[in-house]
Amino acid sequence: MARPKKESPTRLAIVQVAIDLFFEKGFSNTTAAAVCRRAEIGTGNLTFYFPTKEHILDVLVTMLCDYQWKLIEEYTDEGQSSLLCYCLELATMASVSEEREEMRDFFVSAYSHPMTLENIRTNDVEKMKRVFGAFCPDWTEEQFVEAEAIVSGIEYATLMTTKHSAPLPVRVSGALEAIMKLFGVPEELRQKKIQKVMAMDYCAIGRRVLANFRQYVSETNEKAIEDLLQTYHIKSD
């Protein structure tokens, strides 16, 4: 009896395999061949959708940006401020990177590759307007773009540690202080938000957010990912 013909892999199916590998082994330690083996596809099937593994990372970064926007909306719907949500977002990214080298590699890779960094910066300019716009109402688009470049550097430095790096709480509070000060957030409010984040179990929150993001990717359908890529202006071919 002839075997049933196996369906061709979709872009989303490859992404769902890749996120597991990236989160298990780190982006740098995951090869295109490993993605092909896990997805049970040939190299040609992979490169048809993704010429390089950086293209897969770019889609995942796009999905993460979209997921973070959903968290901001959820937080504000619950009566919390978008400023607090932003502060917590950075704290959770830093904490999961501190706990798991694979996640540090994932985030640092996202900030290191030109394709994904451009994606992050484009998204974060809009986020900066949403979170900090009220504190700098006269800023131009160019000023937000310039400030975001500085913020990206601060975020990267918070994630990328060396043996001389300060402990996690010091790095997080210092980064939040510098970022909020850059956008003119009053000192009293800066300290209030930092103290609130530091009082939370942001490490546990980070683990939960990470698990929920993986679930978000696993439950996304092909149509949704196509719409998302078009919204974020990423080419799907």
Side-chain angles (χ1 to χ4, degrees):
M1 181 181 295
R3 293 183 179 180
K5 183 178 179 181
K6 187 175 180 178
E7 292 185 4
S8 298
T10 63
R11 180 179 293 102
L12 179 59
I14 295 170
V15 168
Q16 289 173 334
V17 164
I19 191 175
D20 289 338
L21 287 169
F22 292 169
F23 282 16
E24 290 168 12
K25 302 176 181 297
F27 173 79
S28 300
N29 293 326
T30 299
T31 63
V35 175
C36 289
R37 284 194 299 271
R38 180 74 66 92
E40 299 182 336
I41 60 174
T43 303
N45 292 119
L46 179 65
T47 56
F48 176 78
Y49 291 112
F50 302 104
T52 69
K53 68 175 185 175
E54 285 76 16
H55 287 79
I56 307 177
L57 180 64
D58 198 39
V59 173
L60 283 170
V61 167
T62 300
M63 298 182 79
L64 181 58
C65 289
D66 183 64
Y67 181 71
Q68 288 172 335
W69 275 110
K70 293 181 187 302
L71 290 182
I72 288 177
E73 296 298 335
E74 179 182 319
Y75 230 62
T76 52
D77 285 347
E78 293 175 354
Q80 300 289 350
S81 70
S82 58
L83 178 57
L84 179 62
C85 186
Y86 171 80
C87 293
L88 189 57
E89 179 184 302
L90 179 56
T92 55
M93 279 200 307
S95 68
V96 296
S97 297
E98 186 88 349
E99 290 185 343
R100 294 183 53 198
E101 187 58 37
E102 299 84 2
M103 293 312 306
R104 188 195 312 276
D105 181 75
F106 176 84
F107 287 120
V108 168
S109 296
Y111 278 89
S112 301
H113 291 282
M115 183 191 310
T116 47
L117 179 58
E118 180 62 25
N119 196 349
I120 290 170
R121 286 184 169 174
T122 300
N123 175 79
D124 282 3
V125 167
E126 297 307 312
K127 187 183 294 182
M128 298 300 104
K129 293 177 186 176
R130 166 71 180 271
V131 174
F132 298 108
F135 302 105
C136 39
D138 298 325
W139 277 28
T140 64
E141 178 78 11
E142 185 177 61
Q143 286 175 297
F144 276 106
V145 170
E146 291 174 351
E148 194 286 323
I150 297 172
V151 170
S152 290
I154 295 172
E155 291 172 344
Y156 179 87
T158 306
L159 300 171
M160 185 62 179
T161 58
T162 69
K163 64 180 180 180
H164 301 296
S165 296
L168 177 63
V170 176
R171 297 201 315 275
V172 170
S173 59
L176 294 178
E177 168 69 17
I179 292 169
M180 286 191 283
K181 190 172 183 179
L182 177 66
F183 289 99
V185 178
E187 181 177 1
E188 183 178 352
L189 183 57
R190 295 200 305 267
Q191 295 308 312
K192 180 180 179 181
K193 297 303 179 184
I194 291 171
Q195 290 170 9
K196 189 164 186 176
V197 170
M198 292 295 104
M200 296 177 174
D201 189 352
Y202 55 86
C203 293
I205 295 172
R207 294 183 212 110
R208 185 169 65 250
V209 168
L210 186 63
N212 289 343
F213 174 61
R214 292 183 74 167
Q215 187 68 21
Y216 165 77
V217 175
S218 71
E219 293 177 351
T220 300
N221 58 48
E222 188 74 12
K223 175 64 166 54
I225 198 172
E226 290 291 345
D227 291 344
L228 184 63
L229 296 185
Q230 289 187 20
T231 299
Y232 282 80
H233 308 294
I234 293 181
K235 294 178 67 176
S236 61
D237 56 14

